[in-house]
Amino acid sequence: EDSMLQNETICQQLRLKNIQPFSAKNAVEAMRLLLSGYNVDVILLDIFLPTYAGYDLISILKSDERFSTILVVGLAAYREKDMLSEILDLGADDFIYKPYNINEFFARVRANIRVSKLIKRLKEASEKDYLTGIYNRRTFFHFLENLSVLSIRENKPLSFVILDIDHFKKINDTYGHDVGDFVLKKFAEIVLKMTRRSDVFGRYGGEEFCLALPNTDIYGACLLANKIRSTIAQTIMTFKNEKIISFNVTISAGVSEFSKGMSIDELIKIADNNLYLAKKNGRNCVYPLLESLPQKNLKGF
């Protein structure tokens, strides 16, 4: 909302109803807020903004999957012929004319917040692994495909890692599947803490996990994989139920680096072959071996 008076009035009204507002005077400020990671459910948007109109912002938001769960409510001070149909055709989810009835305004805002939260839960359920909460296989490879295109376009490295928990079947057979599930969740929790926001972490299947590491060559990826391997090996897994069970686990990893002309299947196959070599070498190991690689890009690790 470019009118400072109306901007502050709306914000005050929302705060009185325990709805937390983030305000912007124009489309550029709004995008800056969204890209900085603010958790937004609904956008209230004046259609007639300066420079970039609300029409433009709606088109941008609805074409970007990062903002697909955010509902957009258009606001306009006067009625223009076909305005409502045009705004809804662009992808706006609701529309309110100013001046508005305050009770209707809050009812509309709350209804859109409820729908937005429901969409987020459904989207998360479809994208995340139910046990560990990290990305499932389908979503992970969707991100990997996009990162490979970005790697080529920006001429920057991209690495892929398969992480496998050693002798996982033995853990299930010895302690039971509850303990096995605990190990999977604990492992995912540790890896998430050791990776960057730009990295993508997913469950490959069973006890296998995968990492996509943008702006990271194979040496940097092997260095991270070894840090993860070392941290896991030193972590005592303590499962508390009717009795306390404590034990250690190890992991093996295979790493590959994407290059122009390589398919995603080839990238995976190279990492899978390296994982096989790590297993063959006695497990608790990362392949390729660090000492066999030239030291290049260590940024971030």
Side-chain angles (χ1 to χ4, degrees), residues 166 226 229-230 233 249-253 278-279 282-286:
D166 297 327
N226 268 293
R229 179 202 57 76
S230 176
V249 300
T250 61
I251 66 164
S252 301
K279 296 280 188 181
R283 295 180 168 82
N284 192 22
C285 180
V286 174

Side-chain angles (χ1 to χ4, degrees), residues 78-216:
Y78 62 90
R79 297 170 186 261
E80 190 176 277
K81 186 181 178 183
D82 298 327
M83 178 193 290
L84 181 57
S85 60
E86 285 179 20
I87 297 304
L88 294 177
D89 282 344
L90 280 173
D93 302 282
D94 202 354
F95 196 85
I96 300 173
Y97 284 109
K98 299 183 284 188
Y100 45 76
N101 176 282
I102 194 67
N103 292 324
E104 180 187 350
F105 174 77
F106 285 124
R108 292 266 195 99
V109 170
R110 286 201 184 96
N112 280 288
I113 288 174
R114 286 196 298 271
V115 173
S116 177
K117 289 185 182 297
L118 176 60
I119 293 171
K120 283 180 181 178
R121 287 199 295 271
L122 292 171
K123 187 171 187 286
E124 186 170 303
S126 70
E127 292 180 343
K128 299 293 181 70
D129 173 59
Y130 74 98
L131 180 66
T132 59
I134 62 175
Y135 289 118
N136 59 31
R137 182 183 178 124
R138 179 183 59 82
T139 307
F140 175 86
F141 284 106
H142 172 70
F143 278 114
L144 184 61
E145 287 280 358
N146 290 340
L147 287 172
S148 68
V149 173
L150 198 62
S151 171
I152 294 168
R153 189 168 69 211
E154 298 186 350
N155 194 28
K156 290 182 178 179
L158 168 68
S159 291
F160 173 73
V161 184
I162 299 178
L163 304 157
D164 183 271
I165 300 173
D166 297 327
H167 302 297
F168 186 72
K169 185 178 182 301
K170 187 178 178 181
I171 295 170
N172 278 332
D173 292 344
T174 304
Y175 302 113
H177 289 279
D178 284 353
V179 177
D181 287 350
F182 166 76
V183 170
L184 293 172
K185 289 188 282 189
K186 185 69 176 176
F187 172 77
E189 180 185 309
I190 291 169
V191 175
L192 275 175
K193 288 179 180 177
M194 298 183 70
T195 51
R196 305 164 299 183
R197 285 188 65 182
S198 58
D199 299 332
V200 183
F201 182 39
R203 190 173 176 189
Y204 194 57
E207 69 272 22
E208 286 190 334
F209 296 77
C210 43
L211 276 168
L213 307 173
N215 301 325
T216 307

Side-chain angles (χ1 to χ4, degrees), residues 52-68:
Y52 293 100
Y55 292 87
D56 301 318
L57 186 55
I58 292 171
S59 297
I60 292 169
L61 292 170
K62 292 302 179 179
S63 64
D64 193 323
E65 66 177 76
R66 290 174 296 179
F67 311 122
S68 62

Side-chain angles (χ1 to χ4, degrees), residues 234-283:
Q234 294 173 47
T235 300
I236 299 173
M237 300 282 176
T238 303
F239 181 78
K240 298 178 181 179
N241 201 350
E242 294 176 359
K243 58 181 180 179
I244 298 174
I245 304 167
S246 295
F247 55 94
N248 290 84
V249 300
T250 61
I251 66 164
S252 301
V255 184
S256 58
E257 183 176 351
F258 180 74
S259 61
K260 191 175 181 179
M262 179 186 287
S263 69
I264 294 299
D265 286 342
E266 289 172 318
L267 181 72
I268 296 166
K269 187 175 181 180
I270 293 168
D272 206 37
N273 287 339
N274 282 330
L275 176 62
Y276 170 77
L277 292 173
K279 296 280 188 181
K280 191 177 177 182
N281 196 48
R283 295 180 168 82

